[in-house]
C-alpha cells in the first residue's frame, strides 16, 4: 500500500504558529550529580517555556479574586502540571490545606503526580501525591494531590465539606465523565455551604449571631450561585478571610443544629482543553474565564479514499509505512482498548522481527487505563537515538496525558464507550465513532513540538458526518453507581440534583428501581442500612458490591472476592491467533466446565500459589520466573498483577465493614447459586439455534469466543458483560440451573414460566413475563 493510493493530503490546520523548544521526556533514573544538575536545568527551562508560565501571576490573582474560575488552554500548555504548583507557591496550602486536582483517568493522575514531584524535587507521596481506586500514594504532608474524579466523590462520603481542600481543580472538564458531572453539582453545593460558614464567622466577629444550619440541609443562602456570593462578599474581605481563617471543627449542639464555623471558602477551578467555556461559566453562575494562549504547529491531515474494512490492519500497515517512509519522529496510534493494544503490540513485534538488517528500530510502548502504574511511565521515556517510539494508546492520550516527541498520529476514529439503554436497562460496551472535537484533539497531538502529520483511517466524508462534540457520559450511562453515591451523601432528591446536563428522568428512575431491587434503598427511597450503606462503602459497581455482600450468606465470599477482582480487569488470557490450539490446551489447566467465574478463581489461586513459591517478585529472577509462568499459560501478567492489587484492596474494605471471608471449598454449586442470586437480571436461556435469549431484555446474545463456555450449550446461564460488535456478545458466563431463578429471585421469575421455557419437551421460547 502506498500513501499515494490511500491518502489524499489536506491543508495544514493552522500555519500561523511559532516554535517551541522541546526539551524533555526522559524518565528519572539514578544519575550522577552532574546529570541531575543538567536535568534540573532542563526541567526549569521547559517549565519556563510552557505557554502557561507567563500567566502565572495572573492566575494566582484570579484564583484569589474568584471563588470559581474556568481555565481554558490547549493540551500541553501546562495546565495540569503547573497551575497546582503556582497555587502552592501562591499560599493556597497554608494551615495544612490541600490542592486537589481531579482527573478522569487513573493513568493521568499517576503520571502527572510523578512528573510534578520530579519538578518540585520531592518524592511521590510526600508533598505531591496521588489517590486512585485501589492505590493511594499520599501522606500527612501531601499538599498537591492528583486523584481520579471518582476518588474525590468517595472522599466526600467521609468529609462532606471537603474541609481538607482549599482548592479543587476539576481537570479535563471537557471530557464530561459521569463523575466529573456529579462533582460539578457537589462542589457547587459545598462551596456555597462553606461560604455560608464564613458568613457565620464574619457575623460573629461583628457581633452578630451565628448562622444555624440543620445538618445536611442546604440553606436558602447556600442555594445562591457564585455570583450571589460575590455580591455578598466584597473581594478584599473575601481574600483576606481566606488568608487568615483558621479552621475549627464543627460544633454539634444539643438542639441538633450544627454550627459550621470558620471554614475557608472552597476555590473551584475548572480546566478544559476545548473552547466551550460558556457552558461551564453559565453553570457556575457566570464564573470568570481565563484563556491560556496555546501553541500549535501545522498538522497535515490525510484521509483514506475508501472506508477501511479492518481498521486494525490499516493501523498496522500505516504505522509500518510511516516508520519506513517518514522522517524521524514518534508515532501515536489511537486504539480502543487493552486487548487491541496488546494484540497490535505483538503484531508489530512480529513484523519488526522480519525487517531486513539495518532498518531503523521501533520501540513499542502501550498506554491504557489499567496499565500498572510502574509500567505507565515508560511512555514518557525517550527512545534511544535512531529508534522510533510507537505509542499505542486508548483515548487517554487525546488530552489527559501529554507525551513529548510525537510527530505522527494514526487515528482510526473510534473509541470504546459504555452505552446504556434505560428502556431495556441494558448497558453494553461498544466501539463507536469519535466526535469531530475528539478528532481535532487527536490530530493536534502531532503538532505540539513541530509540524506533524495525522493519518485518519476514514474518509473525509465520514469525518463530516461525525457528531460535533461528544455526548456527556451522564446522558448515556447506567446511573446506579452515582445515584447510590448521591444517596450516601445524603442527597435524597436525585431527580432535583443540580446537574449541568440533566440525565433523562427515565434513566434516573431506572437506576432508583435498580438500587431498590438490590435492596440498597428503602421504600422511602433512602439508603438502607446496613445493605445500602455497606454497598456504598465498597468501591465497586452496585451489582458487584451486592454480590460481595450476598456471598457471605452463601458461604463463598472468598470465591466471589476473587471473581470480582478478576472481573475488574480486562483480558486475563491472551490469544495469539496462530496459537489457538496451544492456548486452549494451556487454559484447560484452569478452566471449569461450569464457566468463566470459577475459571477466574482457579487462575487467581494458581497465580497466588506461584507467588508464594517464588516470593514477591521484587528481584529480577523472581520476576522472570513469574513472567515465564504467565507466558506458558498464555496469561496476561499485567492484568493479573492488577487483579491481585484489587483483590487485596477489596479484602481490606470487606474486613473493614466486618464481613466474613468464607470459602465454599470444592463445592462450587453454592458459588454458582450466589452468582445466580446476584446477577439474575443477566440470565439467558438457550435457543434452538444455539444462541441465547437474555431473559430481562429479550435480546438475542451469543457467547463470546473468549469464554470457556463458547461452543457449549448449557440450558441457562448468567453473564456479566455485553459487548456489541457485529453481534451482541456476552462474556464472563457461568452455567446455572434455571430453577434457581424463581427460587432466588422470586420477584422476577415464576417457576411456571421457567418450566415452560426449560422443560425438555418444551417447544416454546416464549418471552418470560417480568
Ligand atoms: O494539562 P496540559 O495539557 O495543559 O499540559 P501538562 O500536562 O501540564 O503538560 C505540560 C508539559 O509537561 C508538556 O510539555 C508535557 O510534555 C510535559 N509532561 C511531561 O514531560 N511528563 C509528564 N508526565 C507530564 C507532562
Ligand atoms: Mg492536562
Amino acid at each position: 500500500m502506498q500513501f499515494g493510493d490511500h491518502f489524499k493530503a489536506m491543508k495544514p490546520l493552522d500555519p500561523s504558529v511559532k516554535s517551541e523548544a522541546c526539551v524533555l521526556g526522559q524518565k528519572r533514573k539514578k544519575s550522577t550529580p552532574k546529570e541531575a544538575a543538567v536535568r534540573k536545568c532542563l526541567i526549569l527551562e521547559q517549565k519556563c517555556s510552557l505557554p502557561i508560565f507567563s500567566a502565572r501571576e495572573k492566575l494566582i490573582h484570579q484564583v484569589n479574586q474568584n471563588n470559581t474560575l474556568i481555565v481554558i488552554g490547549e493540551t500541553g500548555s501546562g495546565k495540569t502540571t503547573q497551575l497546582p504548583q503556582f497555587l502552592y507557591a501562591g499560599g493556597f496550602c497554608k494551615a495544612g490545606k490541600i490542592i486537589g486536582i481531579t482527573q478522569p483517568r487513573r493513568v493521568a493522575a499517576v503520571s502527572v503526580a510523578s512528573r510534578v514531584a520530579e519538578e518540585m524535587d520531592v518524592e511521590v507521596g510526600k508533598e505531591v501525591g496521588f489517590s486512585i481506586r485501589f492505590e493511594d500514594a499520599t501522606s500527612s504532608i501531601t499538599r498537591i494531590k492528583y486523584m481520579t474524579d471518582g476518588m474525590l466523590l468517595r472522599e466526600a462520603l467521609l468529609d462532606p465539606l471537603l474541609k481538607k481542600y482549599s482548592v479543587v481543580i476539576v481537570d479535563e472538564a471537557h471530557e464530561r465523565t459521569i463523575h466529573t458531572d456529579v462533582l460539578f453539582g457537589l462542589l457547587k453545593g459545598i462551596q456555597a455551604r462553606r461560604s455560608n460558614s464564613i458568613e457565620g464567622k464574619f457575623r460573629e466577629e461583628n457581633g452578630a449571631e451565628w448562622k444555624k444550619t440543620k445538618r445536611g440541609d442546604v440553606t436558602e443562602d447556600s442555594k445562591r450561585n457564585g455570583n450571589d456570593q460575590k455580591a455578598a462578599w466584597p473581594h478584599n474581605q473575601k481574600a483576606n478571610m481566606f488568608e487568615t481563617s483558621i479552621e475549627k471543627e464543627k460544633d454539634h449542639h444539643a438542639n441538633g443544629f450544627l454550627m459550621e464555623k470558620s471554614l475557608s471558602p472552597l476555590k473551584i477551578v475548572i480546566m478544559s482543553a476545548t473552547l466551550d467555556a460558556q457552558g461551564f461559566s453559565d453553570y457556575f453562575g457566570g464564573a470568570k474565564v481565563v484563556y491560556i494562549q496555546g501553541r500549535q504547529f501545522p498538522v497535515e491531515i490525510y484521509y483514506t479514499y475508501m472506508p477501511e474494512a479492518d481498521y486494525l490492519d490499516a493501523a498496522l500497515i500505516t504505522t509500518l509505512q510511516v516508520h519506513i517512509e517518514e522522517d524521524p519522529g514518534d508515532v501515536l496510534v489511537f486504539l480502543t482498548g487493552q486487548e487491541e493494544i496488546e494484540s497490535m503490540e505483538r503484531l508489530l513485534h512480529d513484523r519488526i522481527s522480519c525487517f531486513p538488517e539495518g532498518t531503523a528500530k521501533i520501540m513499542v510502548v502501550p498506554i491504557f487505563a489499567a496499565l500498572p502504574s510502574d509500567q505507565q511511565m515508560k511512555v514518557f521515556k525517550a527512545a534511544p537515538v535512531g529508534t522510533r517510539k510507537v505509542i499505542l494508546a486508548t483515548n487517554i492520550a487525546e488530552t489527559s496525558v501529554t507525551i513529548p516527541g510525537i510527530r505522527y498520529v494514526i487515528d482510526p476514529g473510534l473509541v470504546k464507550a459504555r452505552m446504556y439503554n434505560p428502556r431495556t436497562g441494558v448497558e453494553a460496551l461498544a466501539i463507536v465513532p469519535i466526535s469531530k472535537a475528539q478528532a481535532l484533539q487527536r490530530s493536534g497531538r502531532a503538532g505540539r513540538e513541530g509540524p506533524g502529520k495525522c493519518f485518519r483511517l476514514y474518509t473525509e466524508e465520514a469525518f463530516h458526518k461525525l457528531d460535533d462534540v461528544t455526548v456527556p457520559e451522564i446522558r448515556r450511562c447506567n446511573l446506579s453507581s452515582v445515584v447510590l453515591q448521591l444517596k450516601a451523601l445524603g442527597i435524597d432528591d436525585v431527580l432535583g440534583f443540580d446537574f449541568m446536563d440533566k440525565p433523562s428522568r427515565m434513566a434516573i428512575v431506572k437506576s432508583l428501581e435498580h438500587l431498590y431491587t438490590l435492596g440498597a434503598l428503602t421504600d422511602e427511597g433512602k439508603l438502607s442500612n446496613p445493605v445500602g450503606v455497606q454497598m456504598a462503602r465498597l468501591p465497586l459497581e452496585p451489582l458487584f458490591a451486592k454480590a460481595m455482600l450476598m456471598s457471605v450468606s452463601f458461604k463463598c465470599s472468598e470465591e466471589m472476592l476473587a471473581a470480582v477482582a478478576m472481573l475488574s480487569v480486562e483480558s486475563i488470557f491472551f490469544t495469539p491467533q496462530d496459537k489457538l490450539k496451544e492456548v486452549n490446551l494451556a487454559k484447560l489447566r484452569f478452566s471449569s466446565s461450569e464457566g468463566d467465574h470459577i475459571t477466574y478463581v482457579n487462575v487467581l489461586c494458581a497465580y497466588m500459589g506461584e507467588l508464594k513459591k517464588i516470593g514477591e517478585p521484587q528481584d529480577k529472577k523472581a520476576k522472570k520466573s513469574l513472567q515465564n509462568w504467565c507466558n506458558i499459560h498464555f496469561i496476561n501478567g499485567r492484568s493479573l498483577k492488577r487483579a491481585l492489587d484489587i483483590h487485596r484492596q477489596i479484602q481490606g474494605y470487606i474486613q473493614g465493614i466486618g464481613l466474613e471471608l468464607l470459602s465454599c471449598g470444592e463445592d462450587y454449586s453454592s458459588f454458582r447459586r450466589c452468582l445466580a442470586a446476584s446477577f439474575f437480571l443477566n440470565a439467558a436461556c438457550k435457543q434452538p439455534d444455539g444462541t441465547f435469549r437474555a431473559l430481562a431484555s429479550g435480546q438475542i446474545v451469543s457467547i463470546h469466543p473468549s469464554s470457556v463456555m463458547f461452543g457449549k450449550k448449557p440450558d441457562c446461564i448468567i453473564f456479566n458483560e455485553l459487548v456489541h460488535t457485529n453481534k451482541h456478545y456476552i462474556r464472563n458466563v457461568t452455567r446455572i440451573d434455571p430453577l434457581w431463578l424463581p427460587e432466588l429471585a422470586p420477584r422476577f421469575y415464576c417457576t411456571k414460566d421457567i418450566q415452560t421455557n426449560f422443560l425438555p419437551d418444551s417447544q416454546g421460547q416464549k418471552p418470560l413475563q417480568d
Side-chain angles (χ1 to χ4, degrees), residues 395-518:
N395 68 328
I396 214 156
E398 211 169 86
T399 62
S400 285
V401 292
T402 316
I403 305 159
I406 294 161
R407 252 187 99 182
Y408 306 98
V409 164
I410 295 170
D411 174 20
L414 297 165
V415 68
K416 197 191 289 179
R418 240 166 228 295
M419 293 291 171
Y420 176 65
N421 180 342
R423 200 178 45 78
T424 57
V426 175
E427 186 174 52
L429 279 173
I431 293 174
V432 295
I434 54 172
S435 64
K436 282 198 190 92
Q438 286 180 286
L440 288 173
Q441 283 293 342
R442 288 182 175 192
S443 55
R445 301 305 100 241
R448 271 209 63 245
E449 294 160 7
K453 290 184 181 178
C454 173
F455 301 96
R456 292 188 177 152
L457 304 179
Y458 42 95
T459 62
E460 194 180 353
E461 292 71 35
F463 171 80
H464 290 297
K465 281 189 196 144
L466 296 176
D467 289 342
D468 287 342
V469 291
T470 317
V471 178
E473 210 174 47
I474 203 150
R475 304 286 292 261
R476 55 181 165 87
C477 272
N478 179 348
L479 301 174
S480 299
S481 183
V482 288
V483 169
L484 181 67
Q485 287 198 348
L486 287 174
K487 293 275 179 189
L489 286 163
I491 298 163
D492 281 326
D493 179 14
V494 179
L495 282 164
F497 186 71
D498 181 11
F499 288 107
M500 184 168 159
D501 267 280
K502 236 185 184 25
S504 74
R505 194 183 163 82
M506 191 198 247
I508 297 180
V509 170
K510 270 273 172 187
S511 65
L512 288 169
E513 279 171 14
H514 183 217
L515 290 171
Y516 180 74
T517 310
L518 294 177

Side-chain angles (χ1 to χ4, degrees), residues 668-685:
Y668 281 123
S669 66
S670 60
F671 179 45
R672 286 194 298 124
R673 281 171 63 80
C674 184
L675 291 171
S678 309
F679 306 126
F680 61 86
L681 284 173
N682 290 344
C685 61

Side-chain angles (χ1 to χ4, degrees), residues 68-73 173-174 176 184 270-292 500:
T68 306
L69 189 70
I70 320 281
V71 177
I72 307 284
H174 59 272
R176 300 291 305 278
F184 285 159
I270 308 294
M271 298 207 292
S272 167
T274 51
L275 289 169
D276 52 353
Q278 196 58 45
F280 296 125
S281 177
D282 289 347
Y283 176 74
F284 283 99
K288 178 152 181 114
V289 184
V290 174
Y291 293 88
I292 313 286
M500 184 168 159

Side-chain angles (χ1 to χ4, degrees), residues 46 50 74-81 111 115 380 402 404 448:
Q46 192 197 29
L50 286 172
E74 251 173 52
T75 305
S77 54
K79 302 181 298 299
T80 311
T81 52
S111 69
R115 167 75 185 183
F380 299 100
T402 316
R448 271 209 63 245

Side-chain angles (χ1 to χ4, degrees), residues 90-107:
F92 284 85
C93 293
K94 283 185 185 158
K97 292 281 189 211
I98 299 176
I99 298 167
I101 309 99
T102 68
Q103 298 289 324
R105 297 193 179 82
R106 20 184 302 123
V107 178

Side-chain angles (χ1 to χ4, degrees), residues 587-604:
K587 261 192 189 174
L588 275 183
R589 178 174 162 197
F590 312 104
S591 64
S592 156
S593 56
E594 308 290 10
D596 296 310
H597 297 81
I598 298 171
T599 304
Y600 290 151
V601 175
N602 292 342
V603 173
L604 194 65

